Amino acid sequence: MNPIVDIQNVSHRYKTREALKGVNLSIGRGEIFGLLGPNGSGKTTLFRILSTFFDPTEGSVKVEDLDLRTDAPKLRKKIGVVFQAPSLDARLTVRENITFQGSLYGLAGKELHTRVQSMMARLGIADRAAELVQRLSGGLKRRVELAKGLLHNPALLILDEPSTGLDPGARIDLWKYLKELREKEKITILVTTHLMEEAEHCDRLAILNEGKVVVIGSPHNLKKEIGGDILHIQTQDAAELARQIEHKMKIKAIHVNGMLQIEHTDGHKLIASLIENFPGKIDAVTFRKPTLEDVFVHKTGHRFWTEDVL
């Protein structure tokens, strides 16, 4: 793989708290790559570093062989950034927002006008050029954000939680546009997200937890690692039942949020065996195929959490 992004041994500290701990990953050209993790996993810190907001405490970051520490001004010309929080001026029109962005990158005159017109056409917002941004839907505002991020023809587009505030239909449209961008423009796209369904759209993703990369791979291959079906067991004493299952059936049961989770190749057959071997000790059993959250549980031993942490 010829990486466009190369991250080596990156760590970062906020005073006494270590937000990133020796992160290593590479992103190939033309990939849609996801950083998936709960709040506090470190993905937002890594986004800020890649966006050149600050240097990492330790380690190196390169984009197209430009080093973040020594070549930040040149590197910024190679990346487009779409933030989670809106960065549009609601009192300006669509065209004015995009034009102002272009002026920040030194574009002017005919070249700027041509690029603005082209970008609005590509993202399907040319007919809204004279409309105030405050009157647009969430999905259309996201398209204007994308137009701003792509105006200077970056090699890498970085999006932080791109589906925030969008309804399901707008999310579908957003991912349609991102995939078209990758195909037509050959641009590399990096997305940070805590949404499992969003991560499913990525070619590859890195799952982060407590500042570390837990695993890297395609959504399909990561789910294949689970090795079968997922059973969730409700019981009065999860810890004791887990011990008995492992002792009697040689099967590992993970204790997660008051329930037991078992990964097994023939889950439907295992249900009958569990009920037969432990009569009266199982209140309910659910059965399903693996998800990316199961991959997270498999690697970390716990589910996603929701606390707001940097």
Side-chain angles (χ1 to χ4, degrees):
M1 179 179 70
N2 179 23
I4 187 172
V5 177
D6 188 30
I7 299 170
Q8 296 293 327
N9 299 314
V10 164
S11 297
H12 192 78
R13 298 180 186 87
Y14 296 101
K15 294 183 179 179
T16 59
R17 189 178 67 81
E18 196 169 19
L20 293 174
K21 306 171 184 177
V23 170
N24 292 281
L25 63 89
S26 295
I27 301 172
R29 294 178 185 275
E31 275 195 302
I32 297 179
F33 193 94
L35 298 175
L36 173 66
N39 294 333
S41 63
K43 65 183 187 298
T44 298
T45 297
L46 190 53
F47 169 86
R48 291 171 179 170
I49 290 172
L50 288 167
S51 302
T52 73
F53 274 20
F54 47 67
D55 293 341
T57 306
E58 298 173 9
S60 69
V61 176
K62 290 185 178 180
V63 177
E64 287 209 319
D65 294 326
L66 294 173
D67 190 281
L68 177 69
R69 296 183 189 277
T70 58
D71 301 310
K74 293 180 181 178
L75 192 151
R76 291 187 188 107
K77 296 180 180 179
K78 300 288 186 179
I79 62 174
V81 182
V82 177
F83 301 96
Q84 178 180 357
S87 63
L88 302 174
D89 190 325
R91 296 165 295 180
L92 298 181
T93 66
V94 169
R95 181 186 287 109
E96 287 169 341
N97 268 276
I98 302 171
T99 300
F100 180 71
Q101 179 76 5
S103 67
L104 295 177
Y105 281 89
L107 299 173
K110 184 177 180 180
E111 181 184 12
L112 175 57
H113 175 77
T114 300
R115 287 201 191 185
V116 170
Q117 291 299 117
S118 173
M119 195 58 59
M120 290 192 298
R122 280 163 53 188
L123 287 165
I125 51 176
D127 60 335
R128 305 296 185 104
E131 192 165 343
L132 293 177
V133 163
Q134 64 187 5
R135 297 175 182 169
L136 300 180
S137 67
L140 287 173
K141 288 178 181 177
R142 262 301 187 229
R143 292 195 212 176
V144 180
E145 298 266 16
L146 284 173
K148 287 178 58 181
L150 292 165
L151 188 65
H152 59 294
N153 295 327
L156 173 68
L157 179 65
I158 309 174
L159 304 100
D160 188 23
E161 303 283 357
S163 292
T164 297
L166 300 185
D167 59 45
R171 287 183 182 182
I172 293 172
D173 287 342
L174 172 66
W175 277 99
K176 176 184 175 184
Y177 284 119
L178 291 180
K179 290 179 179 179
E180 287 179 356
L181 278 172
R182 191 268 301 274
E183 294 301 321
K184 294 179 181 179
E185 309 297 330
K186 308 303 179 185
I187 192 170
T188 304
I189 298 173
L190 173 65
V191 175
T192 74
T193 184
H194 68 279
L195 301 174
M196 301 296 172
E197 63 271 23
E198 191 157 77
E200 292 278 2
H201 291 284
C202 298
D203 299 317
R204 288 193 308 138
L205 57 93
I207 297 179
L208 284 81
N209 181 52
E210 297 181 350
K212 297 180 180 179
V213 174
V214 175
V215 66
I216 300 175
S218 70
H220 175 73
N221 288 338
L222 291 178
K223 287 184 288 186
K224 277 180 64 177
E225 288 185 19
I226 297 296
D229 305 314
I230 302 295
L231 299 183
H232 283 146
I233 303 170
Q234 293 182 18
T235 180
Q236 295 300 311
D237 190 342
E240 175 59 21
L241 182 58
R243 186 191 66 78
Q244 292 181 20
I245 290 173
E246 187 163 359
H247 175 74
K248 188 171 185 178
M249 303 181 70
K250 310 303 180 188
I251 296 173
K252 184 177 182 180
I254 303 173
H255 189 189
V256 181
N257 292 353
M259 298 178 65
L260 295 182
Q261 178 170 309
I262 294 177
E263 303 165 8
H264 199 272
T265 53
D266 294 307
H268 62 291
K269 295 179 181 178
L270 182 61
I271 291 175
S273 181
L274 285 168
I275 293 173
E276 180 181 344
N277 279 282
F278 306 100
K281 296 182 180 180
I282 295 176
D283 297 329
V285 181
T286 59
F287 162 86
R288 59 177 172 75
K289 295 298 181 182
T291 66
L292 286 174
E293 183 169 5
D294 295 318
V295 176
F296 185 86
V297 173
H298 178 79
K299 295 293 184 179
T300 67
H302 60 82
R303 296 189 181 281
F304 268 38
W305 57 81
T306 58
E307 289 87 351
D308 291 325
V309 186
L310 282 174

